[in-house]
Amino acid sequence: MLARLKNAFKPKKLWQKMKNTQDFWTSISGFFVLNLFFVWLKTYINYHINFSLGVQGPIQDFLLFLNPIPTAIILLGIALYFRGKVAYILAWVMNLVQTVWLFANILYYREFSDFLSFGIMGSGSSTGNNLGKSIAAIIRPTDFLVYVDLIVMAIVLLFKFWPIDKQAIQKRYAILTTILGIVLMLVDFGVASVDRSGLLTRSFDNNYIVKYLGLNEYAAFNAWQTNNQTKSRKEASAADLQKVQDFLKQNSVPANISYTGTEKGKNVFVIHLESFQQFLIDYKVDGREVTPNLNAFYHDQNTLSFDNFYNQVGQGKTSDAEMMQENSLYGLSTGSAMTKYGSSNTFEATPAILGQQGYTSAAFHGDVPTFWNRNNTYKSFGYNYFFSKNFYKDSDKPSYNVGYGMKDKIFLKDTAQYIEQLPQPFYAKLITVTNHYPYELDKEDTDFPATKTGDTTVDGYVQTAHYLDQAFGELMAYLKQAGLYDNSVFVLYGDHYGISENHKPAIAKLLGKTSVSDYDLAQFQKVPFMIHATGLQGGINDTYGGEIDMMPTLMNLLGVSTEGMTMFGHDLLSTQNPQIVAFRDGDWTTPTYTKYKNQYFDSKTGQKLSIDNNPALKATAQRVQSYVDESLSNSDKVITGDLLRFDKNRWNFHQIDKKSYDYTKANTLKALKASQSSSPTSILALRNGQSTVSDYKTDAPELK
């Protein structure tokens, strides 16, 4: 051993080892490794410094460490197929390409809390224009550090301080390097899919794609999406829209004139009840009502409550519910329409329609603005204001958050400061999140008993629902005190199921049954839908309907003509409502029959029926199925072909300009403040600047 050590440290041997090392680093292989290291390093550092990816747990930490490497290997590895100076230049250029993409996203994310998309870059949208105007304000000297390695390597190569190795590596090594990059990419995707199922199919937030797969992979995925969208859009024509409108005209029904315009000119509060199911209404645990405030609201004589109202969402879940609620368009069969098409499409949405009727519109959400692509989609919908998490003080405090954003009590209380500034009449959507899977709350936030189904996923559901109910009660008390209650219409809806069919034993226990049938599961898709206004002729309404019907029902109450609107829903108060509820997978339910999982049931009794020996069922099923299939297909065409861009001759609506909307905090607050003098109809202005925020009372322990 000693002899070998002595031999190793002989000057000649040592020089040879140093020379071999030097030869490696001056070879294209060494240059490749060096570039790979720097691409990984600056990407990984900026993941932590400039992006808010919400990494939680060792798996996500591992993926964040790994995901810059696979595509860097593949892109930089292109240089290995060449020799001499060309190989070095190619490696440097591939580093530059990835660095420019990183740099551009650092700046864009700082301004918009989102990642660049090819649709945004190619459309010349307001985001791109605003970024160009504010580039000097948002750029920091440290941002240019991502280019340091490139500058040093360029100087070294240009002045020949770095000898060029003219020998090419063997092709099999280049091929193996590419294969290694692909294998690592598959490993990354496999691990990511385990931690976040439906990552690409649902694609609800660009942050998730970058966190799990990487910034370069996000670019590839976005390019693929953009290409598909561009192709569908390019192939569409005005004739396609005409066919859709012909179908809608054939299946239209008259609105209920006894309700037409009864709530005209009133403020509208849309309260999004996250994961809230109909069975919770009047439900008790240990003799206590889970939702006493919502129960009282549901049974109020001035509340229209629909007890056969179903969620109709697909993979887009919450975003599908919003698409239906705002546009009366179905979500897509795969993925989220808001994520895929929200940035680029033309819509005729409720905020824009009411905006042209003199309304101010605002959306409130206690999570990041990028979730479900809301920061871009809401511009397409025509929202004047979008107040997301960064508008709320201390919103990043761990104690203020649970699951997918701020706790409802804190979120709603802090929203009061903005509500009081909205010029009236206004349309305000408040999105709650506490009643979201995994249904967890800090101990100090509830004293309500959990259910005892033995399913830990399910048993906390009533506790978060009870918390949501308390938050709702506090909001209503504030609005009454502030003088906004009697002059407002309240629209409450559950967006989708909270407890999935994977928990059948627990569902059976919740419903007081020994087991649940497929018919029971179909009924379990019911969610609440309530419309309340002082003086409104209310009551429990048995009409069968779904989220697609919310928009036309509200429009009639507000006295807004729906003539020429591309809406797939119907006024639920119409005496001629067809009462056909289409589910996104093609199943359906009516007051007579229900089709669920390709089985047929009597909608009243739940009895399973055979279509072969039942002529009445067969005839109804054929008629209903044809209508359902055409409705879903035509709605998909409207979205994937961006057909509403051809709808330019509406007498009662003109298309909005997305460039006129800006949701950055500074500009939003500036515009809101200016509105107090230009449109002095807000509660704050009417009270001569005396705030109502102190009237908001909450028992949230975090605020004590």
Side-chain angles (χ1 to χ4, degrees):
M1 177 66 73
L2 186 61
R4 273 189 290 182
L5 284 172
K6 286 181 179 179
N7 191 50
F9 282 98
K10 286 182 179 179
K12 188 175 180 180
K13 292 283 186 181
L14 184 59
W15 170 251
Q16 188 61 48
K17 287 181 179 290
M18 291 172 63
K19 188 175 184 305
N20 290 341
T21 302
Q22 183 183 8
D23 288 345
F24 172 77
W25 288 112
T26 56
S27 71
I28 185 57
S29 298
F31 197 67
F32 163 83
V33 171
L34 197 63
N35 277 275
L36 176 61
F37 171 75
F38 282 120
V39 168
W40 168 82
L41 181 65
K42 54 194 171 187
T43 304
Y44 185 69
I45 289 174
N46 280 283
Y47 276 168
H48 289 281
I49 294 176
N50 287 306
F51 305 133
S52 300
L53 300 179
V55 177
Q56 297 177 342
I59 292 179
Q60 293 182 18
D61 279 325
F62 168 74
L63 290 173
L64 202 70
F65 180 89
L66 172 66
N67 73 42
I69 299 174
T71 49
I73 289 177
I74 293 169
L75 292 174
L76 292 167
I78 294 172
L80 301 180
Y81 291 89
F82 296 85
R83 59 186 297 175
K85 186 184 295 184
V86 174
Y88 287 81
I89 293 173
L90 272 174
W92 187 89
V93 167
M94 289 302 167
N95 183 340
L96 176 65
V97 168
Q98 295 173 82
T99 302
V100 169
W101 178 241
L102 173 63
F103 181 78
N105 275 283
I106 289 170
L107 301 185
Y108 188 82
Y109 197 95
R110 187 171 295 148
E111 180 74 0
F112 301 106
S113 300
D114 197 5
F115 295 94
L116 271 170
S117 70
F118 289 97
I120 292 290
M121 291 188 290
S123 65
S125 70
S126 60
T127 50
N129 293 336
N130 289 339
L131 180 62
K133 293 175 184 177
S134 60
I135 194 77
I138 64 175
I139 203 164
R140 299 171 184 170
T142 53
D143 295 335
F144 292 100
L145 289 175
V146 296
Y147 292 108
V148 169
D149 64 307
L150 285 160
I151 294 171
V152 172
M153 283 189 282
I155 292 172
V156 168
L157 289 174
L158 189 61
F159 290 97
K160 299 181 180 179
F161 295 134
W162 196 305
I164 300 295
D165 183 5
K166 297 181 181 180
Q167 293 293 320
I169 72 166
Q170 295 182 31
K171 283 290 186 290
R172 69 171 183 270
Y173 293 129
I175 294 171
L176 286 172
T177 301
T178 302
I179 292 173
L180 174 62
I182 295 171
V183 169
L184 288 176
M185 187 182 295
L186 294 174
V187 169
D188 189 335
F189 182 73
V191 176
S193 298
V194 172
D195 196 62
R196 169 58 63 180
S197 60
L199 178 62
L200 296 182
T201 53
R202 293 181 65 195
S203 57
F204 38 77
D205 189 346
N206 291 337
N207 282 291
Y208 278 68
I209 304 296
V210 174
K211 175 171 68 174
Y212 282 103
L213 301 183
L215 191 59
N216 292 339
E217 284 80 357
Y218 158 73
F221 177 66
N222 182 257
W224 176 77
Q225 280 188 316
T226 303
N227 178 66
N228 288 344
Q229 293 163 19
T230 302
K231 184 179 178 182
S232 298
R233 195 176 191 277
K234 190 178 294 184
E235 293 173 351
S237 67
D240 296 322
L241 177 62
Q242 187 59 54
K243 290 177 184 177
V244 171
Q245 292 178 332
D246 288 344
F247 167 80
L248 294 176
K249 190 173 182 179
Q250 292 168 10
N251 291 279
S252 65
V253 298
N256 189 329
I257 58 173
S258 63
Y259 281 97
T260 301
T262 58
E263 311 310 316
K264 188 177 181 65
K266 288 188 176 182
N267 301 318
V268 179
F269 283 94
V270 176
I271 302 178
H272 177 109
L273 304 173
E274 175 61 45
S275 304
F276 198 97
Q277 294 181 239
Q278 176 70 16
F279 85 90
L280 285 170
I281 299 296
D282 296 330
Y283 193 81
K284 294 181 179 180
V285 177
D286 295 347
R288 294 176 59 184
E289 290 180 291
V290 177
T291 57
N293 294 301
L294 287 166
N295 294 346
F297 201 78
Y298 183 84
H299 294 291
D300 190 284
Q301 64 179 355
N302 296 139
T303 302
L304 281 165
S305 300
F306 296 86
D307 61 354
N308 287 309
F309 187 85
Y310 294 80
N311 90 77
Q312 297 170 283
V313 305
Q315 288 182 337
K317 293 295 190 295
T318 295
S319 68
D320 285 355
E322 287 196 67
M323 182 62 67
M324 288 183 277
Q325 178 256 319
E326 301 281 29
N327 299 274
S328 198
L329 294 171
Y330 291 99
L332 300 174
S333 58
T334 58
S336 161
M338 279 176 55
T339 301
K340 291 182 176 180
Y341 296 93
S343 305
S344 57
N345 271 24
T346 299
F347 292 97
E348 297 173 358
T350 300
I353 292 169
L354 293 183
Q356 294 172 30
Q357 303 285 327
Y359 275 72
T360 303
S361 56
F364 301 87
H365 180 46
D367 200 358
V368 293
T370 56
F371 207 87
W372 291 126
N373 195 33
R374 288 186 176 99
N375 56 323
N376 293 313
T377 302
Y378 284 172
K379 292 177 182 178
S380 300
F381 286 0
Y383 271 107
N384 298 116
Y385 304 106
F386 175 32
F387 300 91
S388 53
K389 192 171 185 177
N390 63 324
F391 282 84
Y392 295 87
K393 184 181 178 182
D394 298 326
S395 61
D396 285 328
K397 275 188 177 180
S399 62
Y400 279 30
N401 290 265
V402 62
Y404 285 78
M406 295 176 65
K407 295 176 181 177
D408 293 339
K409 290 183 181 180
I410 301 171
F411 161 66
L412 292 176
K413 183 183 187 306
D414 285 354
T415 295
Q417 63 182 304
Y418 302 121
I419 290 176
E420 70 173 3
Q421 297 182 66
L422 293 178
Q424 300 182 81
F426 58 73
Y427 173 84
K429 179 162 70 174
L430 286 69
I431 302 173
T432 64
V433 297
T434 303
N435 192 47
H436 194 296
Y437 175 84
Y439 314 118
E440 296 175 345
L441 273 177
D442 296 328
K443 289 182 179 180
E444 61 268 24
D445 285 317
T446 185
D447 62 354
F448 197 82
T451 53
K452 299 179 178 64
T453 67
D455 189 322
T456 55
T457 300
V458 171
D459 285 337
Y461 181 61
V462 293
Q463 293 180 311
T464 53
H466 182 71
Y467 180 92
L468 166 59
D469 179 78
Q470 290 178 312
F472 169 75
E474 293 172 352
L475 174 65
M476 292 299 105
Y478 160 72
L479 293 175
K480 289 176 182 178
Q481 188 69 25
L484 284 168
Y485 189 87
D486 290 331
N487 192 39
S488 297
V489 180
F490 296 91
V491 179
L492 279 66
Y493 75 100
D495 60 340
H496 54 76
Y497 61 80
I499 302 172
S500 75
E501 297 179 4
N502 296 327
H503 303 276
K504 290 181 183 178
I507 293 173
K509 290 182 180 179
L510 289 175
L511 299 179
K513 299 186 175 188
T514 55
S515 62
V516 289
S517 65
D518 284 334
Y519 172 78
D520 293 325
L521 295 175
Q523 301 311 300
F524 209 58
Q525 303 308 309
K526 290 182 181 180
V527 292
F529 179 49
M530 311 175 218
I531 303 176
H532 174 95
T534 301
L536 178 65
Q537 183 182 349
I540 307 298
N541 190 305
D542 298 326
T543 300
Y544 274 60
E547 291 157 333
I548 201 74
D549 302 309
M550 291 189 284
M551 181 182 178
T553 306
L554 176 62
M555 288 297 173
N556 185 47
L557 288 167
L558 295 177
V560 178
S561 172
T562 58
E563 182 182 347
M565 289 188 188
T566 304
M567 300 188 304
F568 286 83
H570 302 93
D571 177 8
L572 287 172
L573 299 170
S574 172
T575 57
Q576 297 181 42
N577 190 294
Q579 299 197 71
I580 297 174
V581 183
F583 297 125
R584 183 58 257 195
D585 61 2
D587 285 344
W588 44 264
T589 186
T590 71
T592 309
Y593 302 114
T594 294
K595 181 192 175 192
Y596 197 70
K597 295 185 177 179
N598 283 320
Q599 302 172 86
Y600 295 92
F601 302 91
D602 185 302
S603 293
K604 294 291 188 293
T605 66
Q607 178 186 358
K608 189 174 180 179
L609 303 172
S610 172
I611 194 170
D612 296 328
N613 303 315
N614 192 329
L617 168 60
K618 191 171 186 178
T620 300
Q622 288 176 342
R623 174 180 60 83
V624 172
Q625 193 67 63
S626 175
Y627 171 79
V628 167
D629 291 345
E630 283 194 74
S631 294
L632 294 172
S633 174
N634 279 312
S635 178
D636 287 349
K637 289 174 183 176
V638 171
I639 295 175
T640 59
D642 190 18
L643 297 186
L644 293 180
R645 65 195 153 112
F646 300 115
D647 194 16
K648 297 180 179 178
N649 299 314
R650 284 266 304 279
W651 65 270
N652 56 352
F653 179 78
H654 61 266
Q655 294 180 5
I656 63 166
D657 180 8
K658 301 173 194 175
K659 298 176 184 177
S660 62
Y661 301 101
D662 184 348
Y663 299 148
T664 55
K665 186 175 181 179
N667 290 335
T668 295
L669 297 180
K670 182 180 178 181
L672 195 60
K673 185 177 180 180
S675 71
Q676 303 311 298
S677 55
S678 62
S679 303
T681 58
S682 69
I683 286 295
L684 186 64
L686 294 175
R687 289 169 55 121
N688 297 316
Q690 182 181 352
S691 177
T692 63
V693 173
S694 61
D695 294 330
Y696 202 114
K697 307 301 180 186
T698 178
D699 65 0
E702 299 85 357
L703 300 179
K704 292 180 180 178

